[in-house]
Amino acid sequence: MTSSTGGYESVVKLPAPRGPLSETVVATLGGDPDGRLVPFTDAGPDPYGEDLTLALHLLYELHYRGFDGVHPAWEWDPELLKFRARAEIAFLAALRSDVDGGDDLTAALDELLVERVPGDGVSHHLRDNGTWDEMREYFAHRSVYHHKEADPHAWVIPRLRGRAKAALVAVEFDEFGGGRADRMHSRLYADLLEGAGMSPDYLHHLDDVPAPAIAIVNMMSLFGLHRSLRGALVGHFAAAEITTAPSAQRMAQALTRLDADPRCVEFFTEHIEADAVHEQIMRRDVIGSLLEQEPQLRADVVFGIQATELLEARLADHLLSSWRSGESSLRTRLR
């Protein structure tokens, strides 16, 4: 595996498939662009399962950094896009079916600010009782997201206008380190991984991480790549920014208790203050301005918030149930 930029950007190899859909995608991407996929069949694949989730992630990754040995022409191959569309239909239908929906945006946003007492989430567990092994597993899960960080959100920028666009760009500017490569949040997460004795390479842990963590990133890519889902992407981004500061505080406390490398702590302390400010910008300037211009998107913003909470809850359930039963939450042992 070759790398550049101080070892933080790597050539990613295609992962092992997890079923017939992902096997088809892996086999196709490893071939010549003149080849063709077998048709996507309505075989009822689990929309949250390992196979469909990985297949979608591989197809979305063609729009990010791609894979070692995979021809760049695959990114816009018509047959591959048809295949992806069928998988997206299944995933999106499941998300819409599994949330409450509606257009009560105030209630959806206010619910994000509710702190349960006593808290029983992942950050509460790690703060109070988590082991270092569990913390490192959590880092592996989140690496699939934090290696991209704000990249999927950038796709919504040309689909906004006026104050909503300017405000979202201001938040993105912070996510990308305010113009400093060493302060980009994705780079800070690479530093965190290195501080934890783990590989900082891009998507190094993709084979280790099960579907619940990957599905969150798939949702971001789905919302970002479709103009019709711009409201959902804004809702997701708002949910992520609003809920980060309190959980980041607990994670910093957990890492201090575990006497972790300062680089691990720094990633979370960076988010405590920054995301508290971002919360206000997202609510007032991005969402507020967007809905002044396009009030018909209110239900989409609510959907983006609810879908984010749904998938985060699925990941939390997976992590906590694994740890409470004394099992690893990963598919393979950390490499």
Side-chain angles (χ1 to χ4, degrees), residues 240-315:
E241 295 300 308
I242 290 171
T243 57
T244 294
S247 63
Q249 178 71 58
R250 290 188 288 270
M251 292 300 298
Q253 293 168 348
L255 289 162
T256 300
R257 176 179 65 82
L258 293 168
D259 196 25
D261 186 289
R263 288 172 292 180
C264 299
V265 180
E266 182 184 12
F267 176 82
F268 292 100
T269 55
E270 167 73 16
H271 284 73
I272 294 170
E273 181 176 350
D275 285 2
V277 174
H278 294 169
E279 170 197 336
Q280 298 302 315
I281 296 174
M282 290 300 300
R283 288 189 66 145
R284 183 184 63 249
D285 298 322
V286 179
I287 294 178
S289 179
L290 174 66
L291 295 182
E292 287 175 6
Q293 300 163 357
E294 300 184 272
Q296 74 278 10
L297 295 182
R298 181 176 296 272
D300 289 340
V301 176
V302 171
F303 169 60
I305 293 171
Q306 293 177 346
T308 301
E309 291 297 284
L310 170 72
L311 294 186
E312 289 288 351
R314 289 178 60 88
L315 174 59

Side-chain angles (χ1 to χ4, degrees), residues 8-247:
Y8 292 110
E9 294 183 0
S10 304
V11 174
V12 182
K13 297 186 180 301
L14 284 167
R18 304 182 189 181
L21 295 180
S22 53
E23 185 174 15
T24 296
V25 173
V26 169
T28 300
L29 294 179
D32 188 275
D34 289 334
R36 285 294 177 262
L37 287 163
V38 297
F40 187 104
T41 59
D42 292 319
D46 181 355
Y48 302 126
E50 297 291 341
D51 189 26
L52 186 143
T53 299
L54 180 63
L56 256 184
H57 191 79
L58 298 178
L59 296 173
Y60 287 142
E61 187 59 33
L62 299 177
H63 299 295
Y64 292 99
R65 299 192 191 179
F67 296 98
D68 183 27
V70 173
H71 198 290
W74 279 122
E75 180 180 6
W76 298 110
D77 179 81
E79 296 301 318
L80 201 58
L81 292 174
K82 288 180 185 178
F83 188 92
R84 191 188 86 190
R86 299 295 297 276
E88 287 179 328
I89 288 170
F91 181 47
L92 184 59
L95 291 176
R96 292 197 184 280
S97 174
D98 292 341
V99 301
D100 294 334
D103 59 2
D104 191 343
L105 179 58
T106 300
L109 290 170
D110 288 347
E111 178 66 20
L112 296 174
L113 298 172
V114 174
E115 281 284 306
R116 309 292 183 215
V117 180
D120 59 357
V122 173
S123 60
H124 296 90
H125 169 81
L126 291 173
R127 180 194 62 189
D128 299 335
N129 304 299
T131 67
W132 182 237
D133 285 342
E134 290 171 345
M135 183 66 76
R136 293 176 81 243
E137 286 188 9
Y138 178 80
F139 290 163
H141 283 279
R142 285 301 190 187
S143 67
V144 182
Y145 167 81
H146 287 301
H147 277 315
K148 289 182 172 64
E149 193 78 21
D151 288 350
H153 306 139
W155 277 319
V156 83
I157 293 173
R159 293 160 179 168
L160 303 178
R161 51 193 169 92
R163 185 161 57 96
K165 174 182 284 193
L168 190 135
V169 168
V171 175
E172 286 278 83
F173 185 65
D174 287 347
E175 299 288 334
F176 291 122
R180 292 177 52 191
D182 63 320
R183 301 304 301 172
M184 292 173 60
H185 289 183
S186 57
R187 173 63 184 265
L188 292 179
Y189 202 79
D191 293 340
L192 171 149
L193 291 170
E194 199 167 56
M198 301 166 66
S199 171
D201 289 342
Y202 181 76
L203 294 187
H204 175 84
H205 292 293
L206 183 58
D207 269 326
D208 307 318
V209 173
I214 300 172
I216 295 171
V217 185
N218 284 354
M219 176 191 65
M220 297 163 61
S221 299
L222 171 66
F223 292 170
L225 284 167
H226 292 268
R227 180 179 175 275
S228 62
L229 293 170
R230 61 194 180 281
L233 192 282
V234 168
H236 156 72
F237 199 5
E241 295 300 308
I242 290 171
T243 57
T244 294
S247 63

